[in-house]
Amino acid sequence: MNEQIKQIAERLKGLREALDLSQEEMAAQCGKTSNEIDLYESGLIDIPLSFLFDVAQNFKIETATLISGDEPRMSSYSVTRKGKGASIERTKAYKYQTLASGFKNPKVEPFEVTVEPNDNPIFLNAHSGQEFNLVLEGKLQFRINDKDLILEEGDSIYFDSALPHGMKALGGKPTRFLAVII
């Protein structure tokens, strides 16, 4: 697994320990099993962004802090220059770049997501809240609640993110989209 995921795993374990929670207690609060928490803290498997978002909401910390290790400091505005947001490459298929990592207590979590084309099946995840996705470049197969939709450049979708959802780049090219998690 890549170094970024190992660092996020260390921050996740550090947070749990700082809160004086067992893996079982954290699991119960985040809707996971203690085995899943143990695996996430090991740094040996991918940690879903949806899980990091849920941890951040449950324990009142910034998602960006879990991803980058830096504490946001801005409260009036925060500028993220093109290509300069804190990024995480969860797998070779998905790259997330935070777009508000410098802002304290954001009400939404905006990301620029790049999905690389591959032949793997669509991985579904779910998390609390709602989500808005706007395709910036490319073509995307978007699956939500067992329904497949094709989204092209300029298309968007707003949905209940508690429903199982996932995506896949089409056309043999990477797809970039704006994801706003509320």
Side-chain angles (χ1 to χ4, degrees):
M1 199 47 60
N2 75 33
E3 190 60 31
Q4 283 182 314
I5 291 176
K6 288 179 185 175
Q7 290 173 2
I8 293 168
E10 289 173 13
R11 286 189 283 276
L12 182 63
K13 182 176 182 177
L15 171 67
R16 181 182 58 75
E17 289 174 346
L19 294 170
D20 199 26
L21 295 172
S22 67
Q23 288 182 338
E24 291 77 15
E25 291 167 324
M26 180 176 254
Q29 289 190 29
C30 296
K32 298 291 181 186
T33 66
S34 59
N35 186 47
E36 287 172 305
I37 300 298
D38 187 50
L39 285 171
Y40 295 157
E41 289 182 354
S42 75
L44 298 175
I45 66 164
D46 181 25
I47 303 169
L49 185 62
S50 58
F51 172 71
L52 295 176
F53 183 71
D54 283 344
V55 167
Q57 285 192 320
N58 281 324
F59 300 108
K60 309 289 188 249
I61 66 164
E62 308 293 336
T63 306
T65 302
L66 284 172
I67 293 171
S68 70
D70 294 329
E71 280 291 325
R73 293 181 171 81
M74 303 305 291
S75 59
S76 55
Y77 70 89
S78 176
V79 174
T80 303
R81 301 287 181 201
K82 183 177 181 179
K84 300 296 183 187
S87 67
I88 177 173
E89 188 172 317
R90 291 179 33 225
T91 66
K92 291 193 184 327
Y94 294 94
K95 180 182 176 190
Y96 289 83
Q97 186 175 75
T98 63
L99 300 177
S101 61
F103 197 85
K104 290 170 68 172
N105 303 314
K107 298 205 184 311
V108 300
E109 297 278 350
F111 296 92
E112 180 180 320
V113 183
T114 302
V115 181
E116 296 292 336
N118 64 58
D119 293 329
N120 298 333
I122 293 177
F123 172 77
L124 299 176
N125 69 71
H127 52 89
S128 61
Q130 299 173 345
E131 191 167 330
F132 171 77
N133 294 319
L134 170 66
V135 178
L136 303 171
E137 178 181 291
K139 190 174 184 179
L140 193 67
Q141 178 182 353
F142 187 87
R143 182 170 296 154
I144 184 164
N145 217 23
D146 293 327
K147 180 167 177 75
D148 284 327
L149 305 165
I150 304 299
L151 302 176
E152 299 189 40
E153 189 173 317
D155 292 344
S156 65
I157 184 168
Y158 189 98
F159 59 96
D160 176 350
S161 50
L163 297 173
H165 61 280
M167 64 279 307
K168 183 175 189 151
L170 298 176
K173 296 179 183 175
T175 299
R176 286 185 324 111
F177 66 95
L178 172 67
V180 180
I181 302 172
I182 304 158

